[in-house]
Amino acid sequence: MTWRFLRAVVAGLLLAACAVIAPVPASAAAPARIMALGDSITGSPGCWRALLWKHLQDTGHTDVDFVGSLPAPGCGFTHDGDNEGHGGILATNIVRDNQLPGWLSSARPDVVLMHLGTNDVWNNIPAATILNAYTTMLGQMRASNPSIKLVVAQIIPMNPSNCSACAQRVVDLNAAIPGWAKANSTAASPITVVDQWTGFSTSADTTDGVHPNSSTGIQKIESRWYPAVVAALGGGSTPTAGLHVEGTRVVEANGTPFVMRGVNHAYVWYPTQNRAFADMKSFGTNTVRVVLGSGQRWGPTPASEVTNVISLCKQNKMICVLEVHDTTGYGEQSGAATLDQAATYWVGVANALKGQENYVVINLGNEPFGNNATVSATWASATSSAISRLRSAGLQHLIMADAPMWGQDWGNIMRDNATSVFNADPQRNTVFSIHMYGVYDTAAEINAYFDAFKSAGLPLVVGEFGHNHSDGNPDEDTIMAQAQARGLGYLGWSWSGNSSDVAYLDMTNSFNPASLTPWGERFLNGTNGVRATSKEATIFGGGGGGDTEPPTTPGTPVASAVTSTGLTLSWTASTDNVGVTGYDVYRAVGSGAFTLVGSVASTTYADSGLTPSTTYRYQVRAKDAAGNVSANSGIVSATTSAGGGSGTCKVAYSAQNWGGGNGFTANVTITNTGTSTVNGWTLAFSYPGGQKVTLPGWGATFAQSGANVTATNLTWNGTLAPNASANVGFNATYSGSNPAPASFTLNGSTCTTA
C-alpha cells in the first residue's frame, strides 16, 4: 500500500523454578544468594539459568551467587550454574521426603526462584494438594531465613503425548497460585508471582511438549524471571529500571501493570499549546505521546524543552512517551532521519532524561522507514543498534520501538523480527508499537497481529490509530475492544492541529477541549474509550498498591445457534474488585486438551470454522486489567450438525447503498424450500469486502466475528413451514466496493440464491 498520511508535519521430568530474593544492603560485602528450585525444567535442560546469570552480569548486577547442590549443565558459555533442579521430582515428594531443609541449610539462599509442580500435574496430583506442599516448603524457607523472598512461577504449559489432561491441569494449578501467594505473602518475606504461562507455546517453545527448547523456550523463561530478580536485588519493591517489561506487560517499578490510555500531541509544531496537557488529563488520559524533533526536519527540541515537557506530564499525572518524528518514512520520505541520527539526539539530551525512568518512555523514532521494502528490511539491525547506543549512554528507560512501513508493518517485518530486537536490548526493556490505520480495517487483521505478539510473549502497544484514513477505514471499535480485553495500551492520533487533508483525525477543534470532534467523542468518551478504561499510574498515587484479586468465576457457558460449522456461546458475567476487562474462551475437541481460541470483552462468543458432526467442549475465564484471571468456568459440550446438503433453503439478498456515504441497508429473505418444517434457524454468511454490520438489525439476532455474520431467529419467526419465508435486515458500513456474500447456509446447509 502507499501511505498518504501527512501529520501536522505539514501539520526426566521437570523442576519447578521458585525464587526468593532478599534485598542486599548497599554496604553488604556478601553477594545475594539465589537458589533456583524445581525439576528438570530448572535443572537440565536448565539453560534459562545461564541466560539469567549473564543478563544480570551484563546489566551490572554482578554481586550475586547462584547456589544449590547441583552443578551447571553445559550451556555454551561459562556461568554460575549451581541449582536445585532435580529431574523428575514432585513438590509433594520433596515434602514427603523432607528434602528441602537440607538443601536450604547448605545453600542459605536469600532468594528462591521456584518453578515447581509439573511432575505433580503429570501424576494427577490435585492443585490443592500441590499448594499444600508449597505452604510447607514456604515455612521451611522462612525457618531458614525469616526475610527470604520467594518468586514463584505460574508454570509453563505442557502437552505431553501420554497425558491429554495435563494441559488443563496446568491451567487449574496456575489459576490458584496468585490467590495462594496473596494469602501467604508478608512484608518481611514477600512472595512474587511470575507468569511463565502466557505466551508460551508447547508446539513452538518446547522440544517434547514439556521441556523448553534452546531457540525460543529458555529465552522466554529467562525474560520473565529477570525483572522480578532485579526488583528483589534492589532491596525492596522498587527496581532501578522504573517502567519496565514483564512478559507481555508493561509494569511500573513496583510491579503494578500499567496499561497506556492516551493521546498523541503535536508539540514540536505547536510548542505554545501547553494547556493541552491539562486538557487531555481532564478526560482521564494516563499517558501522552509527545512529538519532538531531532533536527533533521524539525527542531531539534532542546534539552531544556524536554525537561519542561516532562514537567508538564508529571504535573498532570501522565506518563510521558517522548518520540522523535524526523524518522517518519525514511527511505521514501525526502529528508527523513535515520534511527542512528535519532539515537544521537537521545544521547544528546540524556541528562534531561536520566532519573525520569518512572515517568518517561523513550520512543526511538516515529514510523521509521516507508514502503521501500529493501530499506525497511534493515529495521531489526537499525533498531537494535539504536537501542544499544542508548543503553551505552546510560539510559535505562523503557524503550518503545515503532514498526517500519509507515508504522503499519504491512510486511510483518517487526512482527517477525521483534524477538531478536528484544533480545539485543541488554536490559530486555523494549516495548513494540504498531500504528493501525488503513491496513487494519478488519477484526481478523487486528486480532492476527495482536495474537502474534501474544504467542511470541512480547509486549505490544498501539502507538497510533484513528477512526478513518485515506488509505482505508481502520476498525477502531475492534482495536479498542481488543486492546481493553487483552490489557494492551493504545494512544490515539491526535489532540489537534492536523493539516486539512486529515483534519478528521483531530480530537478537538482548535485545541478546545469543550469542542470535541466526532473522533474525539468516540475515543475519549465512547465504549472502551479513555474515560471508561484509563487508570492513573501508581507513581502518581493512582490505582492503590496494585490489584492482585482475581475476578469471580464466570458462569458455565450455554451453547446456542449450533450449526455444522459454528455456534454461539453465552455465560453469566464475572465480578471483580476493580473491574472485569474481558474473557478468554477455551475449546477442546472431544476429550482433548483445551486451547485458547478467542478473547472477548463481552459475555458472548461466536465460534466458526468447526467440523460437522463433531463434539466440542468449551470453558471460559475472566480477567482484569492487572492481569489477574479467574478460575475456569464449568464446561459445556456441543455437537455440530451433519451439515452439507443443498436445495432445502433459498436466500434473496439485496443491498442499497446510501447516497454520499459509506453505509448501506441490506434486506434478506430466507425461504424454506424443503419438505419439512424448520424449527429454529441460524443463517450464516461471510462478507468478502470487510463490511461491518451495525447492530442490532431487525428480524433476527445478528452477530459478527471478522468477516463472518450469523442471524438467529427471534421467538416469533423461528418456525418455517415448507415454502414459508422470513424477512430480516440490517444497516452496515463498507469501504471501497460493497460485494454481496458469495453463499449462505441455514443451520449448516447450503442455500440456493435468488
Side-chain angles (χ1 to χ4, degrees):
M1 59 160 281
T2 299
W3 178 258
R4 296 184 298 276
F5 179 32
L6 301 179
R7 307 256 163 77
V9 169
V10 192
L13 299 177
L14 309 170
L15 163 65
C18 183
V20 175
I21 305 178
V24 181
S27 59
R33 299 171 68 84
I34 302 175
M35 185 173 83
L37 173 64
D39 47 38
S40 58
I41 291 173
T42 298
S44 180
C47 287
W48 63 259
R49 290 183 292 101
L51 297 179
L52 177 59
W53 178 85
K54 186 176 187 301
H55 194 177
L56 292 169
Q57 301 297 303
D58 290 345
T59 52
H61 301 285
T62 57
D63 199 19
V64 296
D65 181 13
F66 281 33
V67 294
S69 62
L70 299 177
C75 293
F77 58 90
T78 303
H79 65 283
D80 183 355
D82 296 338
N83 68 95
E84 294 294 352
H86 299 263
I89 207 161
L90 283 67
T92 48
N93 287 356
I94 292 175
V95 170
R96 181 197 66 189
D97 299 333
N98 199 33
Q99 293 174 293
L100 185 58
W103 298 339
L104 293 168
S105 177
S106 299
R108 297 176 291 105
D110 302 305
V111 177
V112 174
L113 304 179
M114 190 169 78
H115 183 287
L116 194 57
T118 302
N119 292 306
D120 299 82
V121 165
W122 211 332
N123 282 273
N124 200 20
I125 305 297
T129 305
I130 299 171
L131 293 182
N132 287 338
Y134 280 13
T135 302
T136 300
M137 289 188 288
L138 178 63
Q140 293 169 339
M141 293 174 195
R142 288 172 173 168
S144 171
N145 179 353
S147 62
I148 201 164
K149 292 186 178 180
L150 175 62
V151 183
V152 60
Q154 290 175 290
I155 64 175
I156 64 174
M158 61 184 295
N159 188 26
S161 59
N162 63 349
C163 182
S164 60
C166 279
Q168 182 59 41
R169 294 175 196 161
V170 170
V171 171
D172 294 340
L173 173 61
N174 283 343
I177 287 175
W180 173 85
K182 181 179 180 181
N184 288 280
S185 185
T186 66
S189 176
I191 302 172
T192 300
V193 177
V194 171
D195 181 4
Q196 293 284 3
W197 189 88
T198 301
F200 198 98
S201 168
T202 54
S203 59
D205 301 322
T206 72
T207 58
D208 54 4
V210 180
H211 297 86
N213 61 31
S214 60
S215 55
T216 57
I218 60 174
Q219 289 85 350
K220 286 186 178 182
I221 292 175
E222 186 277 333
S223 69
R224 302 296 174 87
W225 284 129
Y226 174 79
V229 173
V230 170
L233 294 176
S237 61
T238 305
T240 58
L243 288 161
H244 60 279
V245 167
E246 188 175 286
T248 58
R249 304 183 300 176
V250 171
V251 302
E252 294 186 69
N254 62 9
T256 302
F258 180 70
V259 181
M260 297 181 192
R261 290 285 182 268
V263 179
N264 284 267
H265 173 47
Y267 172 85
V268 74
W269 305 301
Y270 301 97
T272 63
Q273 291 288 352
N274 290 337
R275 172 185 159 179
F277 290 85
D279 291 341
M280 286 183 277
K281 181 63 177 182
S282 70
F283 290 93
T285 55
N286 64 19
T287 306
V288 56
R289 183 171 180 256
V290 184
V291 178
L292 305 179
S294 59
Q296 283 69 42
R297 300 179 70 189
W298 303 283
T301 308
S304 60
E305 287 192 36
V306 173
T307 297
N308 184 55
V309 166
I310 295 172
S311 176
L312 288 166
C313 291
K314 293 166 71 174
Q315 289 172 28
N316 291 286
K317 298 184 177 181
M318 294 187 292
I319 296 300
C320 241
V321 177
L322 303 178
E323 62 106 332
V324 161
H325 213 76
D326 303 60
T327 55
T328 306
Y330 175 74
E332 184 176 353
Q333 176 67 53
S334 175
T338 65
L339 279 174
D340 189 60
Q341 289 172 312
T344 297
Y345 170 77
W346 292 121
V347 172
V349 297
N351 287 338
L353 301 170
K354 290 180 179 178
Q356 304 299 326
E357 292 84 0
N358 286 311
Y359 306 97
V360 171
V361 179
I362 300 174
N363 193 171
L364 288 175
N366 182 69
E367 299 178 1
F369 310 111
N371 290 331
N372 185 313
T374 301
V375 178
S376 289
T378 66
W379 173 86
S381 60
T383 303
S384 297
S385 177
I387 292 171
S388 178
R389 289 191 60 197
L390 267 60
R391 297 304 187 210
S392 296
L395 294 170
Q396 301 182 30
H397 303 67
L398 174 64
I399 289 176
M400 184 181 291
D402 274 14
M405 296 181 160
W406 299 100
Q408 297 206 73
D409 200 29
W410 54 265
N412 291 325
I413 293 172
M414 183 173 81
R415 187 200 70 180
D416 296 342
N417 294 278
T419 297
S420 66
V421 171
F422 185 83
N423 290 333
D425 178 357
Q427 293 191 6
R428 310 299 199 276
N429 199 23
T430 299
V431 60
F432 298 92
S433 173
I434 182 67
H435 293 185
M436 288 187 159
Y437 292 104
V439 171
Y440 299 94
D441 57 355
T442 68
E445 291 163 327
I446 294 163
N447 283 314
Y449 203 87
F450 287 169
D451 286 343
F453 275 77
K454 179 179 179 180
S455 297
L458 294 171
L460 182 72
V461 299
V462 184
E464 286 185 23
F465 72 107
H467 70 307
N468 194 13
H469 208 269
S470 57
D471 68 346
N473 184 11
D475 183 357
E476 71 278 4
D477 291 340
T478 296
I479 293 170
M480 297 169 76
Q482 283 297 313
Q484 178 64 12
R486 297 166 182 261
L488 300 179
Y490 64 65
L491 305 169
W493 186 276
S494 68
W495 187 244
S496 198
N498 287 289
S499 52
S500 59
D501 56 334
V502 288
Y504 51 78
L505 287 170
D506 283 353
M507 295 184 188
T508 62
N509 292 303
S510 301
F511 292 92
N512 182 0
S515 180
L516 294 181
T517 65
W519 170 224
E521 183 66 35
R522 169 68 187 92
F523 180 82
L524 296 167
N525 295 326
T527 303
N528 296 307
V530 167
R531 195 183 291 279
T533 65
S534 178
K535 295 183 180 180
E536 187 175 276
T538 63
I539 194 69
F540 300 119
D547 178 17
T548 60
E549 182 174 331
T552 61
T553 306
T556 301
V558 174
S560 62
V562 181
T563 69
S564 62
T565 59
L567 54 80
T568 298
L569 300 172
S570 59
W571 56 89
T572 303
S574 298
T575 59
D576 186 63
N577 63 317
V578 176
V580 175
T581 59
Y583 299 85
D584 289 333
V585 181
Y586 293 84
R587 182 181 69 202
V589 180
S591 61
F594 283 95
T595 58
L596 180 66
V597 292
S599 298
V600 292
S602 65
T603 56
T604 60
Y605 176 77
D607 200 10
S608 59
L610 304 180
T611 302
S613 303
T614 302
T615 298
Y616 294 90
R617 295 181 298 131
Y618 295 87
Q619 60 183 186
V620 298
R621 63 178 185 176
K623 55 190 177 183
D624 62 21
N628 302 308
V629 295
S630 72
N632 292 308
S633 73
I635 298 171
V636 63
S637 295
T639 301
T640 53
S641 59
S646 61
T648 59
C649 54
K650 179 175 69 176
V651 172
Y653 172 90
S654 64
Q656 180 65 48
N657 292 349
W658 302 339
N662 65 339
F664 67 96
T665 299
N667 290 291
V668 184
T669 300
I670 307 163
T671 302
N672 177 10
T673 58
T675 58
S676 301
T677 298
V678 174
N679 293 303
W681 49 264
T682 294
L683 180 73
F685 58 92
S686 296
Y687 267 128
Q691 298 97 318
K692 296 181 177 62
V693 174
T694 302
L695 301 177
W698 53 89
T701 299
F702 288 90
Q704 184 169 9
S705 177
N708 299 321
V709 180
T710 58
T712 302
N713 67 272
L714 302 178
T715 55
W716 53 269
N717 64 357
T719 300
L720 292 178
N723 298 315
S725 298
N727 296 302
V728 302
F730 51 89
N731 293 323
T733 59
Y734 68 96
S735 177
S737 61
N738 184 19
S743 62
F744 299 84
T745 63
L746 190 72
N747 293 345
S749 295
T750 302
C751 300
T752 58
T753 53

